[in-house]
Amino acid sequence: MTTTFAYALQPDQTSALPAWAKTSPKYVEHTAARIVVSKLRRIMSVLDTIKPFVDEGGSLAMVGLYVDEDLGGQCVGAHLAFPEKELYVYAEGADDSIGASEAFPAALSDGAIRMVLAPVEWTSAIGHPILWAWAMTNTQGRIDGLQIEFGTVDGPSITLQIVVRASTLVLRTL
């Protein structure tokens, strides 16, 4: 998207009353523009999925991880359960980006994928609502990470980071 400008003053005029200026978006059909818009939609999709969990303030009730036995037990998804909703975060194998969904994603339905308990550091987020969520992008512009902070504004918090690497998830506690 580019911007176009229009002014009341014309090249052959010294003053124009009443004065005015107009700014309008101008959509350009350009490959780079379509790629940027596509990337922004993907980022917004992940953040829009998480936004209701932040807005509702429900406390985390359970954390589970999905591991793929065909990948040597590597983590490929995380399941965050809240009182009335489920949040799934998973690796998109096609482009090594991150996905988020309230519905169980097809990416985790492979027969070799099973659910396991989350690491102890992650279970310390149980009982706390999501305060913030950030999307992280790599140098190719793909959203490949998510950082979620649990806790209360005036109390202690725990930050969990999920990053996609080679179609698997790397889990960190900050």
Side-chain angles (χ1 to χ4, degrees):
M1 183 173 83
T2 60
T3 306
T4 60
F5 300 96
Y7 302 94
L9 189 61
Q10 299 301 313
D12 60 338
Q13 296 175 321
T14 57
S15 66
L17 296 174
W20 60 270
K22 178 181 173 187
T23 306
S24 303
K26 179 181 177 186
Y27 294 94
V28 178
E29 282 298 319
H30 188 276
T31 304
R34 286 192 300 272
I35 291 169
V36 168
V37 169
S38 174
K39 289 176 184 176
L40 289 174
R41 283 188 185 134
R42 182 74 181 260
I43 291 168
M44 293 311 298
S45 172
V46 170
L47 292 177
D48 286 344
T49 300
I50 295 172
K51 185 179 183 315
F53 293 89
V54 177
D55 292 345
E56 293 170 12
S59 295
L60 183 65
M62 191 271 302
V63 180
L65 301 177
Y66 290 92
V67 297
D68 190 332
E69 297 301 331
D70 289 342
L71 296 175
Q74 294 286 330
C75 182
V76 293
H79 176 197
L80 306 174
F82 294 83
E84 311 228 352
K85 289 184 172 190
E86 312 283 320
L87 177 63
Y88 298 92
V89 179
Y90 53 94
E92 290 277 7
D95 63 359
D96 285 344
S97 63
I98 202 160
S101 174
E102 287 186 46
F104 187 79
L108 299 178
S109 63
D110 184 313
I113 296 175
R114 64 182 176 87
M115 189 175 188
V116 298
L117 295 176
V120 174
E121 306 86 46
W122 277 52
T123 58
S124 62
I126 292 174
H128 300 286
I130 296 177
L131 289 175
W132 312 100
W134 299 268
M136 298 178 285
T137 57
N138 61 24
T139 55
Q140 286 83 33
R142 292 188 191 110
I143 180 168
D144 70 343
L146 192 59
Q147 191 164 301
I148 306 171
E149 184 175 357
F150 293 85
T152 58
V153 175
D154 56 350
S157 66
I158 179 170
T159 303
L160 308 180
Q161 191 178 78
I162 306 166
V163 179
V164 177
R165 183 177 64 205
S167 301
T168 62
L169 296 182
V170 176
L171 311 172
R172 297 184 181 113
T173 306
L174 306 177

